[in-house]
Amino acid sequence: MVDTHCHIFHEYYDNIDEVINKMESNIIIVNGTNINDNKEVLELVKKYKNVYGALGLHPTEIGSSYEETLLFIEKHLNDEKIVGIGEIGLDYHYTLENKDIQKEVFIKQLNLARKYNKSVIIHSRDAINDTLEILKEYKDIKKDIHSFSGSLESAIEFIKINCRLGIGGVLTFKNAKRLQNIVKNLDIHSLLLETDSPYLTPEPYRGSKNEPYNIIYVAKKISEIKGISLEDVLSITTSNAISQFDLDKYLC
Ligand code: NI
C-alpha cells in the first residue's frame, strides 16, 4: 500500500523511526508545505528506503520570502526520490484577501511541474471553482486532489482533466455520507489512498494522532463501500499510486 500524502515531520512526532518502520516496505510520500519541512523531506527520502517526497509551498504558508522557497523547490525537483510538487493549491477558508498571490504561487508551481514533468498534489479548501478553472489549463500534468471534499459532479470534472482523488480518514467518519457516496460511484482506478498524517485520523482512532499505517482503515472502508475485497482495494490503489507518481522506476 502507498500513503500518497502525509507530513511526517519532527514537529509532530517524537519517534519518526517507529512511525515509518511500522509501514515496513509499504511506501510513504511525504509532502512539504514550507521551506523548513521541504528541507526535512529531502532528509527523510535519503534516510528511509520506503519514503518518497514531494516539495511544495502550501497556500497558507506563503510569506514574504516565497520566491526563495520556490527557488529551493525548483533546485531540488530532480533530486532522487522526489516524485512530485505538493502540497500546493488554494485555500480561501481563512481569508480571501490574498487570493491573487495564492493563485500566482499555485500557477508558478504548476508551471514547474510541467517543466520538470512532475505530478502535483493539490490542496483546495473553499476554492473548488478557482481550482478547477486553473487546472483546466494543465490537463497534461498528473494531478492528485488531496483529501477530496467536493461534490460528485466536481469529482467527475476533476477526473476528466487528468486528476485522481486522494481519499483519507474522513471517509470512515459517521457524517461522511457524501464522500462515501462519491467513492461508491467512482471507478476505483481514480482513487489514491492517503492519511494526511498527523491530521484526519480514521475511525476507530479518530481523535488521536494519525500515522501512515492507519491507511489500512481507509482501504477497509473502501472495500466495504464498493463491495470489493480488501486485497483488490490494496492492489489497485497501489498500482494507481505507482502510475500517478512514476514510482515504477524505483521499484524494479
Ligand atoms: Ni496535507
Side-chain angles (χ1 to χ4, degrees):
M1 52 191 187
V2 182
D3 182 355
T4 57
H5 181 98
C6 59
H7 311 276
I8 309 302
F9 300 122
H10 285 98
E11 172 186 0
Y12 308 117
Y13 299 92
D14 296 330
N15 193 340
I16 286 189
D17 272 346
E18 193 179 66
V19 168
I20 290 177
N21 292 333
K22 199 164 161 189
M23 282 291 267
E24 297 178 348
S25 60
N26 293 299
I27 291 171
I28 300 171
I29 301 178
V30 178
N31 283 229
T33 65
N34 58 37
I35 188 90
N36 293 328
D37 57 33
N38 281 312
K39 287 178 183 166
E40 219 174 315
V41 168
L42 297 178
E43 289 165 18
L44 290 166
V45 301
K46 282 193 193 118
K47 186 165 179 199
Y48 300 97
K49 193 168 184 279
N50 62 330
V51 174
Y52 294 78
L55 303 175
L57 179 55
H58 190 283
T60 63
E61 295 282 335
I62 300 170
S64 52
S65 55
Y66 74 89
E67 277 167 331
E68 189 192 322
T69 308
L70 295 180
L71 283 172
F72 179 88
I73 291 168
E74 178 165 15
K75 186 173 165 215
H76 291 283
L77 274 181
N78 276 334
D79 285 14
E80 193 76 356
K81 295 169 81 190
I82 297 303
V83 296
I85 302 186
E87 171 174 356
I88 65 173
L90 301 173
D91 193 320
Y92 298 164
H93 186 71
Y94 304 100
T95 176
L96 293 172
E97 275 171 26
N98 64 351
K99 259 184 165 179
D100 290 344
I101 185 79
Q102 284 198 35
K103 284 187 190 173
E104 183 192 323
V105 170
F106 184 30
I107 288 169
K108 280 188 168 157
Q109 293 180 95
L110 289 166
N111 290 336
L112 285 178
R114 182 174 274 157
K115 183 172 169 191
Y116 292 92
N117 195 21
K118 295 287 171 183
S119 156
V120 294
I121 302 105
I122 291 161
H123 169 102
S124 176
R125 190 170 187 197
D126 298 343
I128 287 271
N129 291 338
D130 281 3
T131 307
L132 245 176
E133 188 109 324
I134 289 173
L135 292 184
K136 278 180 183 160
E137 305 298 320
Y138 294 88
K139 289 196 182 101
D140 52 312
I141 297 174
K142 287 188 269 190
K143 299 169 289 296
D144 165 9
I145 309 297
H146 127 72
S147 195
F148 181 76
S149 62
S151 62
L152 178 59
E153 291 69 29
S154 63
I156 292 167
E157 287 294 303
F158 279 118
I159 290 167
K160 268 192 213 155
I161 56 166
N162 198 14
C163 295
R164 282 192 172 99
L165 309 181
I167 306 294
V170 172
L171 186 71
T172 67
F173 298 172
K174 261 208 183 94
N175 58 357
K177 293 280 175 272
R178 182 166 87 159
L179 184 60
Q180 291 163 1
N181 185 51
I182 289 172
V183 164
K184 188 173 178 180
N185 281 285
L186 294 179
D187 184 336
I188 190 171
H189 292 90
S190 296
L191 307 181
L192 296 166
L193 300 185
E194 64 165 62
T195 61
D196 205 15
S197 297
Y199 313 108
L200 301 174
T201 311
E203 295 289 2
Y205 297 113
R206 189 175 182 183
S208 60
K209 188 178 289 178
N210 206 0
E211 57 171 286
Y213 188 77
N214 288 337
I215 206 159
I216 192 74
Y217 300 103
V218 179
K220 279 182 181 158
K221 191 70 189 180
I222 294 179
S223 148
E224 181 193 312
I225 292 170
K226 295 188 85 62
I228 304 175
S229 71
L230 177 61
E231 206 183 10
D232 284 351
V233 170
L234 293 175
S235 87
I236 297 167
T237 55
T238 298
S239 7
N240 294 348
I242 291 172
S243 117
Q244 183 79 12
F245 296 102
D246 293 323
L247 296 172
D248 40 350
K249 65 180 171 200
Y250 294 103
L251 299 175
C252 48

